[in-house]
Amino acid sequence: MSEETGRWPLDPIDRQSEMMFGLLMTLTFTGTMSVALGAGATVRDILMAALGCNIAWGIVDAAVYLLTTATERARGRAQALAIRTAPDPEAKAQLRALLPGHSGVAMSDEQAGTILAWMRDNPPARDAGPVLRQADFRAAFQVFLLVTGATFPPVLPFVLVESVPVAMRLSNAVALVMLIVIGWRLDQQMQGERPLMRWLIPLTGSALVAVTVALGG
């Protein structure tokens, strides 16, 4: 989304990915609930640990998002400046190298020259501005909210149900439904005919949680 729209700037794939990350982090705590309780911990201790971990990772993930955005934007500006100021043959070669796949090879010299002339005649006015904008900070805050917010649905059964075994089953069911929904939304973004992600995401997520728990996560 553009900064002028006032909406969250993260694209749908990023939103689903951040939510899945927060959900998997939470499952590493709820998945070891019975072991932790046997070691003397309380349900409240475990839930607070899960929330605290996701808050911490939400902050870290938001900071990494800002650093990555600033780096990519600065690199893009440098590449654009290098193309605009280089001699025509070198500028066209750099322009072709930036295009994905075989697009650069297929671009004719005339087409590259047209784009190069447009770039030189229309340098972006915002290239002289800061590498981080208001929309980037809104996106970083959304990253934090998604990672942290994913904690609550799978831990809610432990708050509402007294029986820990029953709460664990309900929590796993909630998490599975969330993973299916995330996979379904990713399928929509892929616009493919086969519903690959809606089944791959739950299976992969379950495997990742199992590996994390087995390694002491």
Side-chain angles (χ1 to χ4, degrees), residues 61-217:
D61 216 13
V64 170
Y65 174 86
L66 290 175
L67 290 173
T68 302
T69 300
T71 301
E72 290 180 348
R73 185 167 292 146
R75 182 182 64 176
R77 291 180 179 182
Q79 289 175 330
L81 179 62
I83 291 173
R84 289 197 301 269
T85 57
D88 281 5
E90 182 180 345
K92 292 176 182 178
Q94 293 182 31
L95 183 61
R96 289 189 174 97
L98 291 177
L99 296 177
H102 298 286
S103 302
V105 178
M107 178 182 288
S108 68
D109 193 69
E110 182 180 355
Q111 291 171 327
T114 301
I115 297 175
L116 179 59
W118 182 89
M119 290 180 63
R120 287 171 173 170
D121 293 339
N122 300 275
R126 303 186 76 174
D127 271 7
V131 291
L132 289 176
R133 305 166 186 165
Q134 182 180 353
D136 301 320
F137 289 97
R138 291 206 309 271
F141 183 58
Q142 187 186 19
V143 168
F144 170 77
L145 290 180
L146 289 171
V147 174
T148 305
T151 307
F152 295 100
V155 304
L156 192 59
F158 294 99
V159 179
L160 301 177
V161 180
E162 292 185 4
S163 172
V164 173
V166 174
M168 286 188 66
R169 293 188 184 93
L170 291 174
S171 175
N172 291 336
V174 170
L176 181 61
V177 170
M178 289 180 66
L179 289 172
I180 291 175
V181 171
I182 290 172
W184 178 71
R185 292 181 69 92
L186 289 176
D187 270 334
Q188 286 185 316
Q189 295 302 314
M190 293 172 62
Q191 298 180 350
E193 297 180 358
R194 297 180 178 179
L196 174 64
M197 300 305 290
R198 72 187 66 178
W199 306 119
L200 183 60
I201 291 296
L203 292 174
T204 303
S206 300
L208 289 174
V209 171
V211 170
T212 303
V213 171
L215 293 177

Side-chain angles (χ1 to χ4, degrees), residues 14-96:
D14 285 335
R15 290 198 296 269
Q16 304 310 315
S17 299
E18 295 296 344
M19 188 176 298
M20 183 171 62
F21 173 72
L23 178 59
L24 295 179
M25 288 292 295
T26 303
L27 288 178
T28 61
F29 283 89
T30 60
T32 58
M33 181 73 74
S34 58
V35 177
L37 291 176
T42 65
V43 172
R44 183 181 182 277
D45 292 336
I46 299 170
L47 298 185
M48 291 303 295
L51 178 59
C53 180
N54 274 21
I55 289 176
W57 274 110
I59 295 172
V60 170
D61 216 13
V64 170
Y65 174 86
L66 290 175
L67 290 173
T68 302
T69 300
T71 301
E72 290 180 348
R73 185 167 292 146
R75 182 182 64 176
R77 291 180 179 182
Q79 289 175 330
L81 179 62
I83 291 173
R84 289 197 301 269
T85 57
D88 281 5
E90 182 180 345
K92 292 176 182 178
Q94 293 182 31
L95 183 61
R96 289 189 174 97

